[in-house]
Amino acid sequence: MTHPHHEQPRHEHSGHEHARHEHAPAGHSHDDLTSESQGADLLDLDGEVLGAYWGRALDRVLAAVTPALATAQQSGARARVVDLGAGTGTGALGLASRLADAGIDAEVVAVDVSEPSLARVAAKAQAAGLGDRVRTLVADLDQGWPDLAPVALTWASMSLHHLADPVRSLAELRRITSPGGLLAVSEFVEPVRFLPEDLGIGRPGFEGRALEVLGSVHAEALPHLGASWAALLAEAGWTVVDEHDVVIDERSPEHPLAGAYARAWFARLAHGLDGRLDAGDERTLAGLLDDSGPHRLLRSADLHLHGTRTLTIARA
């Protein structure tokens, strides 16, 4: 997946970024490496805190594809599943474990441009006893698809909007997908929200204003963010068979990492929007990130996580 996020805030959509197709400069600076590590940490937190929602989406996808995979097993061939823009592996490992539980012999290929993120995927797979079912592949899909045919299922979470020409890439994916194979696209229209309207610090409505600024950055850098994926899939030759909204709505979330997740998200936001917020909102953001202050984000009881993830499933 690569779930959250932007650097500019390049990997910051909702705390979920997945397919970072953009390349870093030839020489990474310390700040570049720190930022990438922070983004990967954010993806891990996203997978932990929103695990139930990830699971709900993955279960729906597996219900759609398992009958076909089970039938294919009779031929003795190992099914191939792709996690496009795998990030730190929430989708890849979720799919691999579910397929193993269903008795399906399948290889899950985690594809991303970030070698450090894929190293996390490989380590997690080994720790979960899935090392023989998950492999990683560094690839930039704007340069074309690697030779992965035939693909039975592709999972793409918060990744397709990073592609320069999604329709072209989706058409290429369709050509290497088995007849009747599926593509599942999971996207947010906008980032997950965390905060109440009145924070007790600064002007009310801080989060809305910050996301408005973020949206203006994304409008230029990520023109396909928030696109109608059903329409783009149809244009690329896919047949849409299911659309479903997974609603996230948790007040005072109980997960012990919810506060850390919110803090990581806003820390990335601060990095990406440096100098773009007005002085008052800059002070509010600084107060939220002050772990010793009264308005620190680590107090999860003050949070309200809400948003909608749209899952679109299409058949080749």
Short mmCIF file of all heavy atoms in Angstrom, two decimals, residues 70-120:
data_model
loop_
_atom_site.label_atom_id
_atom_site.label_comp_id
_atom_site.label_asym_id
_atom_site.label_seq_id
_atom_site.Cartn_x
_atom_site.Cartn_y
_atom_site.Cartn_z
N ALA A 70 -9.45 -20.74 -6.09
CA ALA A 70 -9.62 -22.14 -5.68
C ALA A 70 -9.76 -23.05 -6.89
O ALA A 70 -9.20 -24.15 -6.94
CB ALA A 70 -10.83 -22.26 -4.76
N THR A 71 -10.49 -22.60 -7.90
CA THR A 71 -10.66 -23.38 -9.12
C THR A 71 -9.32 -23.52 -9.85
O THR A 71 -8.96 -24.60 -10.33
CB THR A 71 -11.68 -22.71 -10.05
OG1 THR A 71 -12.94 -22.65 -9.39
CG2 THR A 71 -11.82 -23.48 -11.35
N ALA A 72 -8.55 -22.40 -9.88
CA ALA A 72 -7.25 -22.43 -10.57
C ALA A 72 -6.28 -23.37 -9.87
O ALA A 72 -5.39 -23.94 -10.52
CB ALA A 72 -6.67 -21.01 -10.62
N GLN A 73 -6.44 -23.55 -8.56
CA GLN A 73 -5.55 -24.43 -7.81
C GLN A 73 -5.60 -25.85 -8.33
O GLN A 73 -4.64 -26.61 -8.20
CB GLN A 73 -5.95 -24.44 -6.32
CG GLN A 73 -5.68 -23.13 -5.61
CD GLN A 73 -4.21 -22.96 -5.25
OE1 GLN A 73 -3.77 -23.37 -4.20
NE2 GLN A 73 -3.45 -22.37 -6.15
N GLN A 74 -6.72 -26.21 -8.92
CA GLN A 74 -6.88 -27.58 -9.42
C GLN A 74 -5.91 -27.89 -10.54
O GLN A 74 -5.60 -29.04 -10.81
CB GLN A 74 -8.33 -27.79 -9.86
CG GLN A 74 -9.34 -27.64 -8.72
CD GLN A 74 -10.77 -27.70 -9.20
OE1 GLN A 74 -11.05 -27.99 -10.37
NE2 GLN A 74 -11.71 -27.43 -8.30
N SER A 75 -5.40 -26.83 -11.20
CA SER A 75 -4.44 -27.03 -12.28
C SER A 75 -3.02 -27.20 -11.74
O SER A 75 -2.10 -27.55 -12.49
CB SER A 75 -4.47 -25.85 -13.24
OG SER A 75 -3.95 -24.68 -12.61
N GLY A 76 -2.85 -26.94 -10.45
CA GLY A 76 -1.53 -27.08 -9.85
C GLY A 76 -0.68 -25.83 -9.96
O GLY A 76 0.44 -25.79 -9.44
N ALA A 77 -1.16 -24.80 -10.64
CA ALA A 77 -0.38 -23.57 -10.81
C ALA A 77 -0.52 -22.69 -9.58
O ALA A 77 -1.58 -22.61 -8.96
CB ALA A 77 -0.87 -22.82 -12.04
N ARG A 78 0.57 -22.04 -9.21
CA ARG A 78 0.55 -21.12 -8.08
C ARG A 78 0.01 -19.77 -8.53
O ARG A 78 0.47 -19.20 -9.51
CB ARG A 78 1.95 -20.95 -7.51
CG ARG A 78 1.95 -20.31 -6.13
CD ARG A 78 3.35 -20.18 -5.55
NE ARG A 78 3.29 -20.09 -4.10
CZ ARG A 78 4.27 -19.60 -3.35
NH1 ARG A 78 5.38 -19.17 -3.90
NH2 ARG A 78 4.13 -19.55 -2.04
N ALA A 79 -0.98 -19.26 -7.82
CA ALA A 79 -1.57 -17.96 -8.19
C ALA A 79 -0.61 -16.83 -7.85
O ALA A 79 0.16 -16.93 -6.89
CB ALA A 79 -2.89 -17.77 -7.44
N ARG A 80 -0.67 -15.76 -8.63
CA ARG A 80 0.15 -14.58 -8.35
C ARG A 80 -0.74 -13.40 -8.02
O ARG A 80 -1.66 -13.06 -8.77
CB ARG A 80 1.05 -14.24 -9.55
CG ARG A 80 1.88 -12.97 -9.32
CD ARG A 80 2.96 -12.84 -10.38
NE ARG A 80 3.96 -13.88 -10.19
CZ ARG A 80 4.66 -14.43 -11.19
NH1 ARG A 80 4.44 -14.05 -12.43
NH2 ARG A 80 5.55 -15.37 -10.92
N VAL A 81 -0.45 -12.77 -6.90
CA VAL A 81 -1.18 -11.60 -6.42
C VAL A 81 -0.18 -10.45 -6.29
O VAL A 81 0.95 -10.65 -5.85
CB VAL A 81 -1.83 -11.90 -5.05
CG1 VAL A 81 -2.47 -10.65 -4.45
CG2 VAL A 81 -2.86 -13.02 -5.19
N VAL A 82 -0.58 -9.26 -6.68
CA VAL A 82 0.29 -8.09 -6.64
C VAL A 82 -0.28 -7.04 -5.71
O VAL A 82 -1.47 -6.73 -5.75
CB VAL A 82 0.47 -7.49 -8.06
CG1 VAL A 82 1.23 -6.16 -7.99
CG2 VAL A 82 1.21 -8.47 -8.97
N ASP A 83 0.58 -6.50 -4.83
CA ASP A 83 0.23 -5.33 -4.03
C ASP A 83 0.97 -4.16 -4.64
O ASP A 83 2.19 -4.03 -4.53
CB ASP A 83 0.65 -5.53 -2.57
CG ASP A 83 0.29 -4.34 -1.67
OD1 ASP A 83 -0.29 -3.36 -2.18
OD2 ASP A 83 0.59 -4.38 -0.47
N LEU A 84 0.23 -3.31 -5.34
CA LEU A 84 0.80 -2.20 -6.10
C LEU A 84 1.00 -0.99 -5.20
O LEU A 84 0.05 -0.42 -4.70
CB LEU A 84 -0.13 -1.86 -7.27
CG LEU A 84 0.10 -0.54 -8.00
CD1 LEU A 84 1.51 -0.49 -8.55
CD2 LEU A 84 -0.91 -0.38 -9.13
N GLY A 85 2.26 -0.58 -5.02
CA GLY A 85 2.55 0.50 -4.10
C GLY A 85 2.42 -0.02 -2.69
O GLY A 85 1.64 0.47 -1.88
N ALA A 86 3.20 -1.05 -2.38
CA ALA A 86 2.98 -1.84 -1.17
C ALA A 86 3.31 -1.11 0.12
O ALA A 86 2.89 -1.54 1.19
CB ALA A 86 3.80 -3.14 -1.25
N GLY A 87 4.09 -0.04 0.05
CA GLY A 87 4.46 0.66 1.27
C GLY A 87 5.18 -0.27 2.22
O GLY A 87 6.14 -0.94 1.85
N THR A 88 4.68 -0.36 3.45
CA THR A 88 5.33 -1.24 4.44
C THR A 88 4.58 -2.55 4.63
O THR A 88 4.81 -3.25 5.61
CB THR A 88 5.51 -0.51 5.78
OG1 THR A 88 4.24 -0.05 6.25
CG2 THR A 88 6.44 0.68 5.63
N GLY A 89 3.66 -2.87 3.71
CA GLY A 89 3.16 -4.24 3.62
C GLY A 89 1.84 -4.58 4.25
O GLY A 89 1.49 -5.76 4.33
N THR A 90 1.05 -3.60 4.67
CA THR A 90 -0.23 -3.93 5.29
C THR A 90 -1.09 -4.77 4.35
O THR A 90 -1.66 -5.79 4.74
CB THR A 90 -0.99 -2.66 5.70
OG1 THR A 90 -0.21 -1.94 6.66
CG2 THR A 90 -2.34 -3.00 6.32
N GLY A 91 -1.19 -4.35 3.10
CA GLY A 91 -2.00 -5.08 2.12
C GLY A 91 -1.38 -6.41 1.76
O GLY A 91 -2.06 -7.45 1.73
N ALA A 92 -0.08 -6.41 1.48
CA ALA A 92 0.59 -7.63 1.04
C ALA A 92 0.50 -8.73 2.10
O ALA A 92 0.17 -9.88 1.81
CB ALA A 92 2.06 -7.34 0.72
N LEU A 93 0.79 -8.37 3.35
CA LEU A 93 0.75 -9.38 4.41
C LEU A 93 -0.68 -9.79 4.74
O LEU A 93 -0.95 -10.95 5.04
CB LEU A 93 1.45 -8.86 5.66
CG LEU A 93 2.96 -9.14 5.72
CD1 LEU A 93 3.70 -8.36 4.64
CD2 LEU A 93 3.53 -8.80 7.09
N GLY A 94 -1.61 -8.83 4.67
CA GLY A 94 -3.01 -9.17 4.91
C GLY A 94 -3.54 -10.15 3.88
O GLY A 94 -4.25 -11.10 4.21
N LEU A 95 -3.17 -9.93 2.62
CA LEU A 95 -3.60 -10.84 1.56
C LEU A 95 -2.93 -12.21 1.72
O LEU A 95 -3.59 -13.24 1.60
CB LEU A 95 -3.26 -10.24 0.19
CG LEU A 95 -4.08 -9.03 -0.24
CD1 LEU A 95 -3.44 -8.35 -1.44
CD2 LEU A 95 -5.52 -9.43 -0.55
N ALA A 96 -1.63 -12.20 1.97
CA ALA A 96 -0.89 -13.47 2.08
C ALA A 96 -1.44 -14.33 3.21
O ALA A 96 -1.62 -15.55 3.05
CB ALA A 96 0.60 -13.20 2.28
N SER A 97 -1.70 -13.74 4.36
CA SER A 97 -2.19 -14.52 5.50
C SER A 97 -3.59 -15.05 5.24
O SER A 97 -3.92 -16.19 5.59
CB SER A 97 -2.16 -13.68 6.77
OG SER A 97 -3.03 -12.57 6.68
N ARG A 98 -4.44 -14.23 4.61
CA ARG A 98 -5.81 -14.67 4.32
C ARG A 98 -5.81 -15.80 3.29
O ARG A 98 -6.59 -16.76 3.40
CB ARG A 98 -6.65 -13.49 3.82
CG ARG A 98 -7.09 -12.56 4.94
CD ARG A 98 -7.63 -11.24 4.39
NE ARG A 98 -8.27 -10.44 5.43
CZ ARG A 98 -7.61 -9.73 6.34
NH1 ARG A 98 -6.27 -9.72 6.32
NH2 ARG A 98 -8.26 -9.03 7.24
N LEU A 99 -4.97 -15.70 2.28
CA LEU A 99 -4.90 -16.75 1.26
C LEU A 99 -4.36 -18.05 1.87
O LEU A 99 -4.84 -19.14 1.55
CB LEU A 99 -4.03 -16.29 0.09
CG LEU A 99 -4.65 -15.20 -0.78
CD1 LEU A 99 -3.60 -14.56 -1.68
CD2 LEU A 99 -5.80 -15.75 -1.60
N ALA A 100 -3.38 -17.92 2.76
CA ALA A 100 -2.85 -19.11 3.44
C ALA A 100 -3.94 -19.78 4.28
O ALA A 100 -4.10 -21.01 4.26
CB ALA A 100 -1.66 -18.73 4.31
N ASP A 101 -4.71 -18.96 5.00
CA ASP A 101 -5.79 -19.50 5.84
C ASP A 101 -6.85 -20.20 4.99
O ASP A 101 -7.50 -21.15 5.45
CB ASP A 101 -6.45 -18.38 6.65
CG ASP A 101 -5.54 -17.84 7.74
OD1 ASP A 101 -4.55 -18.50 8.07
OD2 ASP A 101 -5.82 -16.73 8.25
N ALA A 102 -7.03 -19.72 3.73
CA ALA A 102 -8.03 -20.31 2.85
C ALA A 102 -7.49 -21.53 2.10
O ALA A 102 -8.21 -22.15 1.30
CB ALA A 102 -8.53 -19.27 1.84
N GLY A 103 -6.21 -21.86 2.35
CA GLY A 103 -5.62 -23.02 1.68
C GLY A 103 -5.26 -22.76 0.23
O GLY A 103 -5.13 -23.70 -0.56
N ILE A 104 -5.11 -21.48 -0.14
CA ILE A 104 -4.77 -21.12 -1.52
C ILE A 104 -3.26 -20.95 -1.62
O ILE A 104 -2.65 -20.17 -0.88
CB ILE A 104 -5.45 -19.80 -1.95
CG1 ILE A 104 -6.97 -19.88 -1.77
CG2 ILE A 104 -5.08 -19.44 -3.38
CD1 ILE A 104 -7.65 -20.82 -2.70
N ASP A 105 -2.63 -21.66 -2.54
CA ASP A 105 -1.19 -21.52 -2.77
C ASP A 105 -0.97 -20.31 -3.67
O ASP A 105 -1.23 -20.38 -4.87
CB ASP A 105 -0.62 -22.78 -3.41
CG ASP A 105 0.89 -22.70 -3.60
OD1 ASP A 105 1.53 -21.91 -2.87
OD2 ASP A 105 1.43 -23.40 -4.48
N ALA A 106 -0.53 -19.21 -3.09
CA ALA A 106 -0.38 -17.98 -3.87
C ALA A 106 0.89 -17.25 -3.47
O ALA A 106 1.31 -17.28 -2.31
CB ALA A 106 -1.58 -17.06 -3.66
N GLU A 107 1.51 -16.60 -4.45
CA GLU A 107 2.66 -15.73 -4.21
C GLU A 107 2.15 -14.29 -4.26
O GLU A 107 1.50 -13.88 -5.21
CB GLU A 107 3.71 -15.93 -5.31
CG GLU A 107 4.84 -14.92 -5.26
CD GLU A 107 5.70 -14.95 -6.51
OE1 GLU A 107 5.17 -14.75 -7.61
OE2 GLU A 107 6.92 -15.16 -6.37
N VAL A 108 2.47 -13.51 -3.22
CA VAL A 108 2.10 -12.10 -3.20
C VAL A 108 3.36 -11.29 -3.49
O VAL A 108 4.37 -11.40 -2.77
CB VAL A 108 1.51 -11.68 -1.84
CG1 VAL A 108 1.18 -10.18 -1.84
CG2 VAL A 108 0.26 -12.50 -1.53
N VAL A 109 3.32 -10.49 -4.55
CA VAL A 109 4.46 -9.67 -4.95
C VAL A 109 4.19 -8.23 -4.50
O VAL A 109 3.26 -7.59 -4.97
CB VAL A 109 4.68 -9.70 -6.48
CG1 VAL A 109 5.93 -8.90 -6.85
CG2 VAL A 109 4.80 -11.14 -6.97
N ALA A 110 5.01 -7.74 -3.57
CA ALA A 110 4.89 -6.38 -3.07
C ALA A 110 5.74 -5.47 -3.94
O ALA A 110 6.97 -5.58 -3.97
CB ALA A 110 5.36 -6.31 -1.62
N VAL A 111 5.09 -4.57 -4.69
CA VAL A 111 5.77 -3.69 -5.64
C VAL A 111 5.77 -2.26 -5.10
O VAL A 111 4.73 -1.74 -4.71
CB VAL A 111 5.06 -3.72 -7.01
CG1 VAL A 111 5.76 -2.77 -7.99
CG2 VAL A 111 5.02 -5.14 -7.57
N ASP A 112 6.94 -1.63 -5.07
CA ASP A 112 7.05 -0.24 -4.63
C ASP A 112 8.35 0.32 -5.18
O ASP A 112 9.21 -0.45 -5.63
CB ASP A 112 7.02 -0.16 -3.10
CG ASP A 112 6.55 1.19 -2.57
OD1 ASP A 112 7.31 2.17 -2.68
OD2 ASP A 112 5.42 1.27 -2.07
N VAL A 113 8.51 1.65 -5.14
CA VAL A 113 9.78 2.24 -5.57
C VAL A 113 10.75 2.40 -4.42
O VAL A 113 11.92 2.71 -4.63
CB VAL A 113 9.59 3.61 -6.25
CG1 VAL A 113 8.73 3.48 -7.49
CG2 VAL A 113 8.99 4.61 -5.29
N SER A 114 10.28 2.22 -3.19
CA SER A 114 11.11 2.46 -2.02
C SER A 114 11.74 1.17 -1.51
O SER A 114 11.06 0.30 -0.97
CB SER A 114 10.27 3.10 -0.90
OG SER A 114 10.99 3.12 0.32
N GLU A 115 13.05 1.03 -1.66
CA GLU A 115 13.74 -0.16 -1.17
C GLU A 115 13.67 -0.28 0.35
O GLU A 115 13.43 -1.39 0.87
CB GLU A 115 15.20 -0.15 -1.64
CG GLU A 115 15.34 -0.33 -3.15
CD GLU A 115 16.79 -0.49 -3.57
OE1 GLU A 115 17.54 -1.19 -2.86
OE2 GLU A 115 17.18 0.11 -4.59
N PRO A 116 13.83 0.82 1.12
CA PRO A 116 13.71 0.68 2.57
C PRO A 116 12.32 0.19 3.01
O PRO A 116 12.21 -0.62 3.93
CB PRO A 116 14.00 2.09 3.09
CG PRO A 116 14.87 2.70 2.04
CD PRO A 116 14.32 2.17 0.75
N SER A 117 11.28 0.69 2.36
CA SER A 117 9.93 0.23 2.72
C SER A 117 9.77 -1.25 2.41
O SER A 117 9.20 -2.01 3.21
CB SER A 117 8.87 1.03 1.96
OG SER A 117 8.80 2.36 2.44
N LEU A 118 10.28 -1.68 1.27
CA LEU A 118 10.17 -3.09 0.91
C LEU A 118 11.01 -3.98 1.82
O LEU A 118 10.66 -5.13 2.07
CB LEU A 118 10.56 -3.31 -0.55
CG LEU A 118 9.58 -2.72 -1.58
CD1 LEU A 118 10.08 -2.97 -3.00
CD2 LEU A 118 8.18 -3.30 -1.39
N ALA A 119 12.10 -3.43 2.36
CA ALA A 119 12.87 -4.20 3.34
C ALA A 119 12.02 -4.45 4.58
O ALA A 119 12.10 -5.53 5.19
CB ALA A 119 14.14 -3.44 3.72
N ARG A 120 11.19 -3.48 4.96
CA ARG A 120 10.28 -3.69 6.09
C ARG A 120 9.27 -4.79 5.75
O ARG A 120 8.94 -5.62 6.60
CB ARG A 120 9.53 -2.40 6.42
CG ARG A 120 10.38 -1.30 7.01
CD ARG A 120 9.50 -0.25 7.68
NE ARG A 120 10.26 0.89 8.12
CZ ARG A 120 9.85 1.74 9.07
NH1 ARG A 120 8.67 1.56 9.65
NH2 ARG A 120 10.59 2.78 9.43
#
